[in-house]
Amino acid sequence: MPRLIFFCGHAGTGKTTLAKRAMLELRRRTGESFCLLDKDTLYGEYSAAVMGVLTGDPNDRDSPPYLQHLRDPEYAGLLNTARENLALGTSCLVVGPLSREARAHRLADRAWLRVEGDVQVHVVWVHLQEDEARRRITLRGNPNDAWKLAHWDDYRTRLFMPAAADYPELRLYDNTAATARDFEALLVDLGAAPGP
């Protein structure tokens, strides 16, 4: 029974690092094969080339042209790739913000996801306190974050923190100062046998 595990959340929350760490441990404990599908890895170079032509800024990931023309096709390709792997019995960890989709409860909608009934779907919403997220974004020095940092007051209006009661399908994971116990609880929630 393949698993589709989303690691979602805003920039700088540590989604990719957490997903990679979880994948290694899930594979070790379950013996299953997993495919890591990170939106930035799959589409980063392509988006840079297109945005360089459209706006003159290859690092632009926040302007209306990007949000209107590239964002949704990137996610469609990401999910199509996951579906192909799932159909072959390979579990997938999908990494990307997916904030609109999470807000609209789409990641719990099997019809919207177009996944078979035997696929186990898990959605992890990775979050941080805002000041810590900004600090980590600044430290990582990714040019794709330049607009966010220069326009933080505008960017922060797009930040979404789901309430557990309103989004029971999301596994909320506070990555501000996560402990080994927090990580272990996450692995068990994702279907791993408890560790020693």
Side-chain angles (χ1 to χ4, degrees), residues 16 59 70-71 78-79 103 121 174 179-180 185 193:
T16 301
N59 301 311
L70 286 181
R71 181 199 183 277
L78 189 65
L79 290 174
R103 187 188 299 253
V121 178
D174 186 347
T179 65

Side-chain angles (χ1 to χ4, degrees), residues 36-185:
L36 178 69
L37 300 171
D38 186 306
K39 186 179 87 69
D40 290 339
T41 302
L42 289 171
Y43 292 104
E45 300 277 335
Y46 173 77
S47 296
V50 172
M51 294 312 293
V53 171
L54 287 179
T55 67
D57 180 1
N59 301 311
D60 177 358
R61 298 299 183 278
D62 293 286
S63 70
Y66 174 80
L67 295 174
Q68 292 168 7
H69 301 295
L70 286 181
R71 181 199 183 277
D72 290 346
E74 286 181 1
Y75 283 129
L78 189 65
L79 290 174
N80 286 337
T81 305
R83 286 184 203 103
E84 284 190 344
N85 280 279
L86 292 165
L88 296 170
T90 301
S91 295
C92 294
L93 277 71
V94 175
V95 181
L98 291 153
S99 55
R100 287 185 202 168
E101 293 74 12
R103 187 188 299 253
H105 299 275
R106 288 184 177 158
L107 301 179
D109 182 347
R110 297 180 78 83
W112 185 85
L113 288 172
R114 298 192 334 257
V115 296
E116 298 297 326
D118 67 333
V119 174
Q120 295 179 30
V121 178
H122 302 273
V123 186
V124 181
W125 181 266
V126 186
H127 60 97
L128 293 174
Q129 295 170 0
E130 184 182 330
D131 289 346
E132 179 62 12
R134 187 173 186 175
R135 186 186 76 78
R136 291 186 190 186
I137 290 170
T138 301
L139 284 177
R140 74 182 181 181
N142 185 330
N144 293 347
D145 295 326
W147 185 92
K148 293 176 185 69
L149 292 171
H151 304 89
W152 190 262
D153 287 340
D154 291 330
Y155 169 67
R156 71 187 302 271
T157 65
R158 296 188 344 221
L159 299 180
F160 161 66
M161 182 55 212
D166 297 330
Y167 291 88
E169 72 272 19
L170 302 182
R171 169 51 162 91
L172 303 179
Y173 190 86
D174 186 347
N175 210 16
T176 305
T179 65
R181 180 176 287 176
D182 295 329
F183 182 64
E184 176 63 23

